[in-house]
Amino acid sequence: MHSTAWLKGLDVTAGGQGIVSHAGVVLLRALADRTGLTSGLSKALTRRGFVPVHDRGRVLADLAVAIADGATVISDFAVLAGQREVLGPVASVPTAWRALEEIAGGGPKTARKINAAVNAARARAWEGIVARYGKMPGVRIADKVLDGVICVRLDATVTPACSDKEGAEPNFKGFGHHPLLAYCDNTDEALAGMMRPGGAGSNTVADHLRVLDEAITAVPAKYRRKLMVTVDGAGASHDLIKCLDKAASRPGRQLTYSVGWALGERERDAITGVPAKAWEQAVDGRGEVRERRADGACPDSRCGHRRCWVEEAHVTELTALLRQGRGGDQLAAWPATMRVFARRERPHPGAQLTLFETRDGWRYTLWVSNLPAAARGWRSRLPYIDAAHRVHARVEDRIRTGKDCGIGHFPSRSLAINTAWLTASLLAATLLAWLRHLALDGDLAKAEPKALRYRVLHAAARLVRGARRRQLRIPATWPWAGDITAAWQQITALPQAP
Protein backbone atom coordinates (compact mmCIF):
# COMPACT_ATOMS: atom_id res chain seq x y z
CA MET A 1 0.00 0.00 0.00
CA HIS A 2 1.41 3.40 -1.00
CA SER A 3 0.66 6.10 1.56
CA THR A 4 1.48 8.83 -0.98
CA ALA A 5 -0.86 7.58 -3.70
CA TRP A 6 -3.21 10.52 -3.17
CA LEU A 7 -0.49 12.84 -4.55
CA LYS A 8 -0.44 11.14 -7.96
CA GLY A 9 -1.77 13.45 -10.65
CA LEU A 10 -2.46 16.31 -8.22
CA ASP A 11 -1.53 19.89 -9.14
CA VAL A 12 -2.06 23.04 -7.11
CA THR A 13 -2.74 26.23 -9.07
CA ALA A 14 -4.03 29.73 -8.38
CA GLY A 15 -6.47 30.04 -11.27
CA GLY A 16 -9.71 29.05 -9.54
CA GLN A 17 -12.82 31.16 -10.06
CA GLY A 18 -16.08 31.27 -8.15
CA ILE A 19 -14.45 29.67 -5.10
CA VAL A 20 -15.17 31.23 -1.71
CA SER A 21 -13.09 30.40 1.34
CA HIS A 22 -14.31 31.33 4.82
CA ALA A 23 -17.83 31.18 3.39
CA GLY A 24 -19.36 30.87 6.86
CA VAL A 25 -18.62 34.49 7.67
CA VAL A 26 -21.72 35.42 5.67
CA LEU A 27 -23.70 34.15 8.67
CA LEU A 28 -22.10 36.66 11.03
CA ARG A 29 -22.26 39.50 8.53
CA ALA A 30 -25.94 38.85 7.81
CA LEU A 31 -26.64 38.59 11.54
CA ALA A 32 -24.99 41.98 12.15
CA ASP A 33 -27.18 43.50 9.43
CA ARG A 34 -30.44 41.79 10.45
CA THR A 35 -30.18 42.86 14.09
CA GLY A 36 -29.49 46.44 13.08
CA LEU A 37 -25.96 46.38 14.49
CA THR A 38 -24.37 47.60 11.27
CA SER A 39 -26.86 50.42 10.67
CA GLY A 40 -26.69 51.46 14.33
CA LEU A 41 -22.91 51.65 14.21
CA SER A 42 -23.13 53.66 10.99
CA LYS A 43 -25.27 56.28 12.70
CA ALA A 44 -23.03 56.27 15.77
CA LEU A 45 -19.90 56.91 13.72
CA THR A 46 -21.33 59.46 11.31
CA ARG A 47 -19.44 62.77 11.33
CA ARG A 48 -20.87 65.99 9.98
CA GLY A 49 -19.17 67.06 6.78
CA PHE A 50 -17.29 63.78 6.38
CA VAL A 51 -18.46 61.23 3.80
CA PRO A 52 -15.96 58.36 3.64
CA VAL A 53 -15.76 55.90 0.78
CA HIS A 54 -16.32 53.07 3.28
CA ASP A 55 -19.01 53.65 5.89
CA ARG A 56 -17.30 53.47 9.30
CA GLY A 57 -20.12 51.47 10.87
CA ARG A 58 -19.73 48.86 8.14
CA VAL A 59 -15.97 48.83 8.73
CA LEU A 60 -16.34 48.30 12.50
CA ALA A 61 -18.92 45.56 12.00
CA ASP A 62 -16.68 43.87 9.43
CA LEU A 63 -13.71 44.15 11.77
CA ALA A 64 -15.73 42.37 14.46
CA VAL A 65 -16.66 39.67 11.93
CA ALA A 66 -12.99 39.27 10.97
CA ILE A 67 -11.95 38.93 14.63
CA ALA A 68 -14.68 36.34 15.19
CA ASP A 69 -13.31 34.54 12.15
CA GLY A 70 -9.89 34.36 13.78
CA ALA A 71 -8.13 37.63 12.90
CA THR A 72 -5.49 38.50 15.48
CA VAL A 73 -3.89 41.46 13.68
CA ILE A 74 -5.28 44.21 11.45
CA SER A 75 -3.62 42.75 8.36
CA ASP A 76 -5.86 39.67 8.72
CA PHE A 77 -8.71 41.96 7.69
CA ALA A 78 -7.60 41.27 4.11
CA VAL A 79 -9.38 37.89 4.32
CA LEU A 80 -12.75 39.66 4.07
CA ALA A 81 -11.52 41.96 1.34
CA GLY A 82 -10.71 38.87 -0.72
CA GLN A 83 -14.39 37.82 -0.73
CA ARG A 84 -15.62 40.76 -2.80
CA GLU A 85 -17.83 38.58 -5.04
CA VAL A 86 -19.94 37.65 -2.04
CA LEU A 87 -19.53 40.51 0.43
CA GLY A 88 -19.26 43.38 -2.00
CA PRO A 89 -16.79 46.21 -1.42
CA VAL A 90 -14.84 45.68 1.82
CA ALA A 91 -12.51 48.27 3.32
CA SER A 92 -8.78 47.87 2.97
CA VAL A 93 -6.41 47.24 5.86
CA PRO A 94 -5.32 50.94 5.98
CA THR A 95 -8.98 51.98 6.12
CA ALA A 96 -9.56 49.61 9.04
CA TRP A 97 -6.67 51.31 10.82
CA ARG A 98 -8.16 54.74 10.12
CA ALA A 99 -11.53 53.60 11.46
CA LEU A 100 -9.92 52.54 14.75
CA GLU A 101 -8.04 55.84 14.93
CA GLU A 102 -11.28 57.78 14.38
CA ILE A 103 -13.08 55.79 17.06
CA ALA A 104 -10.17 56.38 19.43
CA GLY A 105 -10.19 60.09 18.62
CA GLY A 106 -13.92 60.33 19.36
CA GLY A 107 -13.29 59.58 23.03
CA PRO A 108 -16.03 58.78 25.56
CA LYS A 109 -18.77 60.42 23.48
CA THR A 110 -18.19 58.09 20.54
CA ALA A 111 -17.88 55.13 22.89
CA ARG A 112 -21.31 55.90 24.35
CA LYS A 113 -22.83 56.09 20.87
CA ILE A 114 -21.31 52.72 19.95
CA ASN A 115 -22.61 51.17 23.18
CA ALA A 116 -26.10 52.51 22.48
CA ALA A 117 -26.05 51.01 18.97
CA VAL A 118 -24.89 47.63 20.28
CA ASN A 119 -27.51 47.66 23.04
CA ALA A 120 -30.29 48.39 20.54
CA ALA A 121 -29.14 45.46 18.41
CA ARG A 122 -28.95 43.28 21.52
CA ALA A 123 -32.59 44.01 22.32
CA ARG A 124 -33.56 42.74 18.84
CA ALA A 125 -31.31 39.70 19.16
CA TRP A 126 -32.91 38.79 22.50
CA GLU A 127 -36.35 39.16 20.95
CA GLY A 128 -35.23 36.62 18.36
CA ILE A 129 -33.98 34.25 21.07
CA VAL A 130 -37.32 34.45 22.90
CA ALA A 131 -39.19 33.92 19.62
CA ARG A 132 -37.12 30.81 18.91
CA TYR A 133 -37.18 29.18 22.35
CA GLY A 134 -40.17 30.79 24.06
CA LYS A 135 -38.02 32.40 26.78
CA MET A 136 -34.54 33.60 27.59
CA PRO A 137 -32.06 30.93 28.71
CA GLY A 138 -31.97 30.56 32.49
CA VAL A 139 -29.00 30.59 34.85
CA ARG A 140 -27.59 27.10 35.38
CA ILE A 141 -26.93 26.35 39.06
CA ALA A 142 -25.77 22.78 39.67
CA ASP A 143 -28.63 20.56 38.43
CA LYS A 144 -31.17 23.41 38.55
CA VAL A 145 -32.02 26.27 36.22
CA LEU A 146 -33.00 29.68 37.56
CA ASP A 147 -35.46 31.11 35.05
CA GLY A 148 -36.59 34.69 34.71
CA VAL A 149 -33.31 36.14 36.06
CA ILE A 150 -30.50 37.77 34.04
CA CYS A 151 -27.07 37.16 35.56
CA VAL A 152 -24.20 39.63 35.12
CA ARG A 153 -20.72 38.43 36.03
CA LEU A 154 -17.76 40.81 36.47
CA ASP A 155 -14.12 39.80 36.36
CA ALA A 156 -10.76 41.22 35.38
CA THR A 157 -8.03 39.53 33.39
CA VAL A 158 -4.37 40.16 32.70
CA THR A 159 -3.34 40.29 29.05
CA PRO A 160 0.43 40.07 28.38
CA ALA A 161 2.22 42.61 26.21
CA CYS A 162 5.36 41.64 24.34
CA SER A 163 6.39 45.23 23.66
CA ASP A 164 6.33 48.58 25.43
CA LYS A 165 2.76 49.61 24.64
CA GLU A 166 1.01 52.52 26.31
CA GLY A 167 -0.62 51.33 29.53
CA ALA A 168 1.34 48.08 29.64
CA GLU A 169 2.74 47.85 33.16
CA PRO A 170 4.18 45.23 35.53
CA ASN A 171 1.50 43.36 37.46
CA PHE A 172 1.07 40.26 39.55
CA LYS A 173 1.15 38.03 36.47
CA GLY A 174 3.90 39.67 34.47
CA PHE A 175 3.68 42.68 32.14
CA GLY A 176 0.70 43.90 30.14
CA HIS A 177 -2.80 45.34 30.53
CA HIS A 178 -5.56 44.58 33.04
CA PRO A 179 -9.02 44.99 31.39
CA LEU A 180 -12.21 44.63 33.43
CA LEU A 181 -15.07 42.79 31.71
CA ALA A 182 -18.73 41.93 32.28
CA TYR A 183 -20.61 39.03 30.69
CA CYS A 184 -24.19 37.82 30.61
CA ASP A 185 -24.27 34.29 31.99
CA ASN A 186 -27.57 33.51 30.26
CA THR A 187 -26.27 34.05 26.73
CA ASP A 188 -22.47 34.03 27.25
CA GLU A 189 -22.15 37.40 25.52
CA ALA A 190 -20.02 40.38 26.51
CA LEU A 191 -22.00 43.24 28.04
CA ALA A 192 -19.28 45.76 28.86
CA GLY A 193 -15.54 46.13 29.03
CA MET A 194 -12.99 48.62 30.25
CA MET A 195 -9.42 48.86 29.02
CA ARG A 196 -7.09 49.48 31.97
CA PRO A 197 -3.35 49.81 32.53
CA GLY A 198 -1.55 46.72 33.78
CA GLY A 199 -1.11 48.21 37.25
CA ALA A 200 -4.83 48.83 37.80
CA GLY A 201 -6.06 47.41 41.07
CA SER A 202 -8.18 44.26 41.21
CA ASN A 203 -10.77 45.93 43.43
CA THR A 204 -10.75 49.49 42.09
CA VAL A 205 -14.22 50.68 43.07
CA ALA A 206 -14.69 53.32 40.39
CA ASP A 207 -13.82 50.86 37.62
CA HIS A 208 -16.20 48.20 38.92
CA LEU A 209 -19.05 50.66 39.35
CA ARG A 210 -18.58 52.01 35.83
CA VAL A 211 -18.47 48.58 34.20
CA LEU A 212 -21.39 47.37 36.32
CA ASP A 213 -23.47 50.40 35.30
CA GLU A 214 -22.64 49.85 31.61
CA ALA A 215 -23.41 46.12 31.88
CA ILE A 216 -26.82 46.68 33.47
CA THR A 217 -27.58 49.37 30.88
CA ALA A 218 -26.65 46.84 28.19
CA VAL A 219 -29.38 44.48 29.41
CA PRO A 220 -32.61 45.29 27.52
CA ALA A 221 -34.95 47.28 29.77
CA LYS A 222 -37.65 44.61 30.05
CA TYR A 223 -35.12 42.13 31.48
CA ARG A 224 -33.65 44.39 34.18
CA ARG A 225 -36.38 43.74 36.72
CA LYS A 226 -34.71 40.60 38.05
CA LEU A 227 -30.94 40.61 38.05
CA MET A 228 -28.15 38.62 39.64
CA VAL A 229 -24.66 40.12 39.92
CA THR A 230 -21.59 38.10 40.88
CA VAL A 231 -18.03 39.27 41.58
CA ASP A 232 -15.11 37.25 42.87
CA GLY A 233 -13.17 38.11 46.02
CA ALA A 234 -10.53 40.10 44.15
CA GLY A 235 -13.14 42.66 43.11
CA ALA A 236 -14.91 42.92 46.45
CA SER A 237 -15.07 46.28 48.21
CA HIS A 238 -17.25 48.08 50.72
CA ASP A 239 -18.44 50.68 48.19
CA LEU A 240 -19.31 48.03 45.60
CA ILE A 241 -21.48 46.08 48.03
CA LYS A 242 -23.05 49.32 49.25
CA CYS A 243 -23.92 50.23 45.64
CA LEU A 244 -25.36 46.78 44.97
CA ASP A 245 -27.45 46.98 48.13
CA LYS A 246 -28.79 50.38 47.08
CA ALA A 247 -29.70 49.06 43.61
CA ALA A 248 -31.43 46.05 45.21
CA SER A 249 -33.62 48.33 47.32
CA ARG A 250 -35.18 50.08 44.32
CA PRO A 251 -38.95 49.43 44.21
CA GLY A 252 -40.10 47.15 41.43
CA ARG A 253 -36.62 45.71 40.94
CA GLN A 254 -34.97 42.58 42.29
CA LEU A 255 -31.19 42.38 42.40
CA THR A 256 -29.39 39.54 44.11
CA TYR A 257 -25.63 39.77 44.47
CA SER A 258 -22.95 37.25 45.36
CA VAL A 259 -19.51 38.69 46.10
CA GLY A 260 -16.33 37.05 47.36
CA TRP A 261 -15.28 37.85 50.93
CA ALA A 262 -11.91 37.83 52.69
CA LEU A 263 -11.10 35.36 55.46
CA GLY A 264 -10.05 37.68 58.29
CA GLU A 265 -9.62 37.35 62.03
CA ARG A 266 -13.31 37.89 62.81
CA GLU A 267 -14.32 35.28 60.21
CA ARG A 268 -11.81 32.76 61.56
CA ASP A 269 -13.18 33.30 65.05
CA ALA A 270 -16.73 32.77 63.79
CA ILE A 271 -15.76 29.56 61.98
CA THR A 272 -14.37 28.09 65.19
CA GLY A 273 -17.78 28.65 66.75
CA VAL A 274 -19.76 26.80 64.08
CA PRO A 275 -21.31 23.57 65.51
CA ALA A 276 -20.40 20.43 63.57
CA LYS A 277 -24.04 19.79 62.66
CA ALA A 278 -24.34 23.28 61.11
CA TRP A 279 -22.09 22.32 58.22
CA GLU A 280 -24.16 21.00 55.29
CA GLN A 281 -22.71 18.93 52.49
CA ALA A 282 -22.07 20.87 49.30
CA VAL A 283 -23.26 19.67 45.89
CA ASP A 284 -21.38 19.41 42.62
CA GLY A 285 -22.38 20.52 39.14
CA ARG A 286 -24.83 17.62 38.86
CA GLY A 287 -26.56 18.43 42.14
CA GLU A 288 -24.97 15.42 43.84
CA VAL A 289 -23.15 15.42 47.16
CA ARG A 290 -19.46 16.16 46.72
CA GLU A 291 -17.79 12.97 47.87
CA ARG A 292 -14.80 10.88 46.86
CA ARG A 293 -13.74 7.31 47.47
CA ALA A 294 -11.78 6.86 50.68
CA ASP A 295 -8.40 5.17 50.79
CA GLY A 296 -8.96 1.50 51.46
CA ALA A 297 -12.57 1.55 50.24
CA CYS A 298 -14.18 -1.74 49.22
CA PRO A 299 -13.98 -2.86 45.55
CA ASP A 300 -17.62 -1.94 44.85
CA SER A 301 -17.45 1.65 43.54
CA ARG A 302 -21.23 1.96 43.94
CA CYS A 303 -21.43 0.82 47.50
CA GLY A 304 -23.29 2.71 50.21
CA HIS A 305 -20.80 2.07 52.99
CA ARG A 306 -20.24 5.26 54.96
CA ARG A 307 -16.62 4.30 55.65
CA CYS A 308 -15.91 4.06 51.91
CA TRP A 309 -16.76 7.69 51.16
CA VAL A 310 -15.12 10.93 52.22
CA GLU A 311 -17.10 14.15 52.23
CA GLU A 312 -15.30 16.67 50.04
CA ALA A 313 -16.98 19.97 50.91
CA HIS A 314 -19.43 21.60 53.32
CA VAL A 315 -21.16 24.96 53.53
CA THR A 316 -22.58 27.02 56.38
CA GLU A 317 -23.77 30.54 57.22
CA LEU A 318 -21.77 32.82 59.53
CA THR A 319 -24.16 35.80 59.65
CA ALA A 320 -25.59 35.17 63.12
CA LEU A 321 -22.17 34.50 64.63
CA LEU A 322 -20.81 37.73 63.17
CA ARG A 323 -23.79 39.91 64.03
CA GLN A 324 -24.91 38.41 67.34
CA GLY A 325 -21.88 36.48 68.51
CA ARG A 326 -19.59 36.96 71.47
CA GLY A 327 -17.89 39.94 69.80
CA GLY A 328 -21.13 41.84 69.23
CA ASP A 329 -22.23 43.09 65.83
CA GLN A 330 -19.06 42.97 63.78
CA LEU A 331 -20.91 43.81 60.55
CA ALA A 332 -22.54 47.03 61.74
CA ALA A 333 -20.85 49.03 58.98
CA TRP A 334 -22.21 46.76 56.28
CA PRO A 335 -25.75 46.59 54.81
CA ALA A 336 -28.25 44.93 57.12
CA THR A 337 -29.40 42.66 54.28
CA MET A 338 -25.93 41.20 53.75
CA ARG A 339 -25.39 37.58 54.74
CA VAL A 340 -22.02 35.85 55.08
CA PHE A 341 -21.43 32.25 54.01
CA ALA A 342 -18.45 29.92 54.20
CA ARG A 343 -17.45 26.79 52.35
CA ARG A 344 -14.79 24.34 53.46
CA GLU A 345 -13.31 21.72 51.17
CA ARG A 346 -10.52 19.23 51.10
CA PRO A 347 -7.56 20.94 49.40
CA HIS A 348 -6.22 19.55 46.17
CA PRO A 349 -2.64 18.25 46.15
CA GLY A 350 -0.15 21.10 46.29
CA ALA A 351 -2.63 23.68 47.58
CA GLN A 352 -1.15 26.30 49.91
CA LEU A 353 -3.07 26.65 53.16
CA THR A 354 -2.94 29.37 55.79
CA LEU A 355 -1.85 28.55 59.33
CA PHE A 356 -5.50 28.59 60.36
CA GLU A 357 -6.42 26.10 57.62
CA THR A 358 -3.58 23.71 58.42
CA ARG A 359 -5.04 23.16 61.88
CA ASP A 360 -7.99 21.13 60.63
CA GLY A 361 -6.94 20.44 57.02
CA TRP A 362 -9.85 22.29 55.41
CA ARG A 363 -9.56 25.07 52.86
CA TYR A 364 -12.06 27.90 53.45
CA THR A 365 -13.78 30.22 50.98
CA LEU A 366 -16.19 32.96 51.99
CA TRP A 367 -18.72 35.10 50.12
CA VAL A 368 -21.60 37.44 50.89
CA SER A 369 -25.06 37.68 49.40
CA ASN A 370 -28.28 39.59 49.96
CA LEU A 371 -30.49 36.60 49.18
CA PRO A 372 -33.37 36.97 51.68
CA ALA A 373 -33.36 34.51 54.56
CA ALA A 374 -37.09 34.10 53.98
CA ALA A 375 -36.54 32.80 50.44
CA ARG A 376 -38.18 29.47 49.69
CA GLY A 377 -37.52 26.50 47.47
CA TRP A 378 -34.25 25.03 46.28
CA ARG A 379 -32.71 28.48 45.82
CA SER A 380 -32.78 29.07 49.59
CA ARG A 381 -30.88 25.89 50.51
CA LEU A 382 -27.27 26.34 51.60
CA PRO A 383 -25.80 23.90 49.05
CA TYR A 384 -27.43 25.84 46.20
CA ILE A 385 -26.49 29.23 47.65
CA ASP A 386 -22.94 27.89 47.53
CA ALA A 387 -23.37 26.52 44.00
CA ALA A 388 -24.80 29.84 42.80
CA HIS A 389 -21.61 31.59 43.87
CA ARG A 390 -19.19 28.93 42.64
CA VAL A 391 -20.54 29.06 39.08
CA HIS A 392 -19.13 32.59 38.91
CA ALA A 393 -16.09 30.70 37.61
CA ARG A 394 -17.93 30.38 34.28
CA VAL A 395 -16.93 33.97 33.53
CA GLU A 396 -13.34 32.76 33.36
CA ASP A 397 -14.36 30.52 30.47
CA ARG A 398 -15.94 33.49 28.73
CA ILE A 399 -12.73 35.47 29.16
CA ARG A 400 -10.66 32.52 27.95
CA THR A 401 -12.70 32.20 24.78
CA GLY A 402 -12.73 36.00 24.52
CA LYS A 403 -8.96 35.84 24.23
CA ASP A 404 -9.59 33.72 21.13
CA CYS A 405 -11.58 36.70 19.85
CA GLY A 406 -9.06 39.50 20.03
CA ILE A 407 -8.88 40.32 23.74
CA GLY A 408 -5.20 40.83 24.44
CA HIS A 409 -4.13 40.90 20.76
CA PHE A 410 -3.82 44.66 20.92
CA PRO A 411 -2.37 45.89 17.62
CA SER A 412 -1.15 49.39 18.46
CA ARG A 413 1.18 51.21 20.78
CA SER A 414 -1.66 53.67 21.51
CA LEU A 415 -3.91 52.84 24.45
CA ALA A 416 -6.83 54.64 22.79
CA ILE A 417 -6.59 52.57 19.60
CA ASN A 418 -6.25 49.38 21.64
CA THR A 419 -9.39 50.42 23.52
CA ALA A 420 -11.19 50.63 20.17
CA TRP A 421 -9.82 47.17 19.31
CA LEU A 422 -11.21 45.85 22.61
CA THR A 423 -14.62 47.21 21.58
CA ALA A 424 -14.38 45.32 18.27
CA SER A 425 -13.24 42.18 20.13
CA LEU A 426 -16.23 42.25 22.48
CA LEU A 427 -18.47 42.75 19.45
CA ALA A 428 -16.92 39.66 17.86
CA ALA A 429 -17.65 37.54 20.94
CA THR A 430 -21.19 38.93 21.06
CA LEU A 431 -21.86 38.07 17.40
CA LEU A 432 -20.70 34.49 18.00
CA ALA A 433 -23.00 34.25 21.03
CA TRP A 434 -25.97 35.51 18.99
CA LEU A 435 -25.10 33.07 16.21
CA ARG A 436 -25.19 30.13 18.61
CA HIS A 437 -28.52 31.13 20.14
CA LEU A 438 -30.32 32.35 17.03
CA ALA A 439 -29.17 29.96 14.33
CA LEU A 440 -27.34 26.86 15.59
CA ASP A 441 -28.45 23.65 17.28
CA GLY A 442 -26.92 20.65 19.01
CA ASP A 443 -23.18 20.66 19.65
CA LEU A 444 -22.66 23.77 17.52
CA ALA A 445 -24.93 25.75 19.84
CA LYS A 446 -22.39 25.08 22.62
CA ALA A 447 -19.22 25.26 20.53
CA GLU A 448 -16.34 27.55 21.39
CA PRO A 449 -14.90 29.99 18.81
CA LYS A 450 -12.17 27.63 17.59
CA ALA A 451 -14.69 24.86 16.90
CA LEU A 452 -17.10 27.25 15.17
CA ARG A 453 -14.33 28.46 12.90
CA TYR A 454 -13.20 24.98 11.95
CA ARG A 455 -16.71 23.66 11.32
CA VAL A 456 -18.71 26.69 10.14
CA LEU A 457 -16.87 29.94 9.46
CA HIS A 458 -13.95 28.51 7.50
CA ALA A 459 -16.03 26.25 5.28
CA ALA A 460 -15.40 26.65 1.56
CA ALA A 461 -18.11 27.06 -1.06
CA ARG A 462 -18.65 27.62 -4.77
CA LEU A 463 -20.37 30.80 -5.86
CA VAL A 464 -22.91 30.08 -8.62
CA ARG A 465 -24.85 32.75 -10.52
CA GLY A 466 -28.15 32.26 -12.27
CA ALA A 467 -31.62 33.79 -12.61
CA ARG A 468 -30.27 37.07 -11.24
CA ARG A 469 -29.34 35.38 -7.98
CA ARG A 470 -26.18 34.15 -6.34
CA GLN A 471 -25.86 30.82 -4.54
CA LEU A 472 -23.14 29.73 -2.15
CA ARG A 473 -22.94 25.97 -2.46
CA ILE A 474 -21.27 24.27 0.48
CA PRO A 475 -19.75 20.89 -0.53
CA ALA A 476 -22.24 18.11 0.18
CA THR A 477 -19.43 16.10 1.76
CA TRP A 478 -18.74 18.78 4.39
CA PRO A 479 -20.05 17.29 7.68
CA TRP A 480 -21.66 20.56 8.78
CA ALA A 481 -23.08 21.67 5.42
CA GLY A 482 -26.65 21.11 6.62
CA ASP A 483 -26.02 23.13 9.79
CA ILE A 484 -24.65 26.05 7.77
CA THR A 485 -27.59 26.15 5.38
CA ALA A 486 -30.07 25.81 8.25
CA ALA A 487 -28.32 28.67 10.07
CA TRP A 488 -28.58 30.84 6.97
CA GLN A 489 -32.32 30.20 6.77
CA GLN A 490 -32.74 31.05 10.46
CA ILE A 491 -30.84 34.33 10.11
CA THR A 492 -32.52 35.48 6.92
CA ALA A 493 -35.91 34.72 8.49
CA LEU A 494 -35.23 37.29 11.24
CA PRO A 495 -37.11 40.56 10.80
CA GLN A 496 -34.90 43.19 9.26
CA ALA A 497 -34.12 45.94 11.74
CA PRO A 498 -34.90 49.48 10.56
Side-chain angles (χ1 to χ4, degrees):
M1 181 177 180
H2 299 286
S3 59
T4 59
W6 68 276
L7 285 170
K8 187 176 180 180
L10 177 65
D11 295 317
V12 177
T13 66
Q17 294 183 354
I19 307 299
V20 179
S21 61
H22 294 240
V25 298
V26 299
L27 301 177
L28 292 177
R29 210 173 192 246
L31 187 56
D33 291 354
R34 285 287 182 177
T35 57
L37 177 62
T38 306
S39 59
L41 292 175
S42 297
K43 294 177 183 177
L45 298 177
T46 297
R47 289 188 293 161
R48 183 177 297 178
F50 176 65
V51 183
V53 174
H54 292 279
D55 178 87
R56 294 304 188 245
R58 174 85 273 170
V59 176
L60 180 56
D62 282 350
L63 184 57
V65 170
I67 294 173
D69 190 48
T72 56
V73 293
I74 298 280
S75 58
D76 290 341
F77 192 63
V79 172
L80 291 190
Q83 311 293 348
R84 185 184 181 93
E85 289 184 285
V86 178
L87 303 180
V90 177
S92 64
V93 171
T95 301
W97 269 109
R98 285 195 295 271
L100 288 178
E101 290 171 350
E102 291 166 12
I103 293 171
K109 183 177 180 180
T110 297
R112 287 192 293 270
K113 289 181 178 179
I114 291 174
N115 288 341
V118 176
N119 294 343
R122 176 176 291 109
R124 299 185 190 100
W126 284 24
E127 289 176 3
I129 294 173
V130 172
R132 190 180 189 200
Y133 298 105
K135 63 178 181 179
M136 284 295 293
V139 182
R140 292 175 288 112
I141 300 176
D143 60 329
K144 308 292 186 182
V145 176
L146 183 62
D147 288 319
V149 175
I150 299 299
C151 181
V152 178
R153 303 195 187 278
L154 273 67
D155 205 357
T157 185
V158 172
T159 59
C162 299
S163 61
D164 188 17
K165 298 179 179 180
E166 184 183 359
E169 298 173 350
N171 51 56
F172 60 97
K173 287 189 178 180
F175 180 83
H177 298 91
H178 195 189
L180 179 62
L181 307 167
Y183 288 84
C184 175
D185 191 67
N186 305 68
T187 59
D188 295 337
E189 67 187 278
L191 294 175
M194 181 180 181
M195 188 69 173
R196 304 192 301 168
S202 296
N203 62 348
T204 305
V205 176
D207 295 350
H208 278 77
L209 294 182
R210 173 182 158 185
V211 172
L212 176 62
D213 181 66
E214 290 181 1
I216 293 178
T217 302
V219 175
K222 64 186 294 185
Y223 298 101
R224 295 179 202 156
R225 296 187 183 92
K226 292 185 178 180
L227 296 175
M228 177 190 295
V229 176
T230 67
V231 185
D232 65 7
S237 66
H238 191 286
D239 287 342
L240 176 64
I241 293 176
K242 183 179 178 180
C243 177
L244 290 170
D245 181 72
K246 182 178 179 180
S249 64
R250 293 178 60 185
R253 300 291 179 90
Q254 176 184 310
L255 186 149
T256 304
Y257 63 78
S258 184
V259 180
W261 188 262
L263 177 61
E265 184 59 37
R266 63 184 175 186
E267 290 78 17
R268 288 192 286 268
D269 182 64
I271 288 173
T272 60
V274 176
K277 62 181 181 180
W279 290 98
E280 293 190 32
Q281 286 184 281
V283 297
D284 59 19
R286 296 170 296 181
E288 300 177 358
V289 172
R290 292 183 60 186
E291 294 180 319
R292 63 174 173 82
R293 297 288 286 171
D295 296 335
C298 70
D300 183 5
S301 61
R302 297 185 178 182
C303 75
H305 306 145
R306 186 66 267 164
R307 67 180 183 277
C308 295
W309 296 91
V310 176
E311 297 176 3
E312 283 282 271
H314 302 88
V315 58
T316 193
E317 183 172 359
L318 302 178
T319 309
L321 289 170
L322 290 171
R323 290 197 181 275
Q324 305 163 13
R326 50 198 174 209
D329 188 356
Q330 300 180 67
L331 300 176
W334 297 86
T337 56
M338 189 186 78
R339 302 166 66 189
V340 184
F341 301 90
R343 179 176 70 254
R344 66 180 187 184
E345 56 189 332
R346 296 298 180 186
H348 58 77
Q352 295 183 351
L353 304 181
T354 65
L355 290 176
F356 174 76
E357 292 170 328
T358 56
R359 296 176 186 175
D360 56 10
W362 292 99
R363 185 175 187 176
Y364 292 93
T365 305
L366 279 69
W367 74 100
V368 297
S369 175
N370 66 333
L371 183 72
R376 298 180 179 180
W378 63 269
R379 183 70 178 86
S380 65
R381 295 170 51 195
L382 281 176
Y384 285 98
I385 296 175
D386 167 53
H389 181 70
R390 279 190 292 113
V391 294
H392 173 79
R394 278 204 294 264
V395 72
E396 297 177 4
D397 266 346
R398 302 288 73 76
I399 292 174
R400 176 180 57 82
T401 56
K403 289 181 177 180
D404 287 335
C405 290
I407 297 177
H409 298 286
F410 301 122
S412 174
R413 178 180 173 80
S414 165
L415 182 64
I417 293 178
N418 289 335
T419 299
W421 174 271
L422 178 64
T423 298
S425 299
L426 297 180
L427 272 178
T430 297
L431 282 173
L432 288 176
W434 293 350
L435 176 66
R436 288 191 295 267
H437 285 286
L438 289 169
L440 299 177
D441 296 295
D443 291 340
L444 288 178
K446 304 174 184 178
E448 294 187 354
K450 287 183 179 179
L452 286 177
R453 290 170 193 147
Y454 183 83
R455 301 175 183 182
V456 177
L457 302 183
H458 294 177
R462 178 178 292 278
L463 180 63
V464 179
R465 300 175 185 272
R468 298 184 180 180
R469 295 188 64 84
R470 294 172 298 158
Q471 289 187 0
L472 269 184
R473 294 184 177 177
I474 310 294
T477 56
W478 187 246
W480 301 279
D483 297 291
I484 296 173
T485 56
W488 176 257
Q489 293 168 2
Q490 291 280 2
I491 293 172
T492 54
L494 294 172
Q496 177 62 56

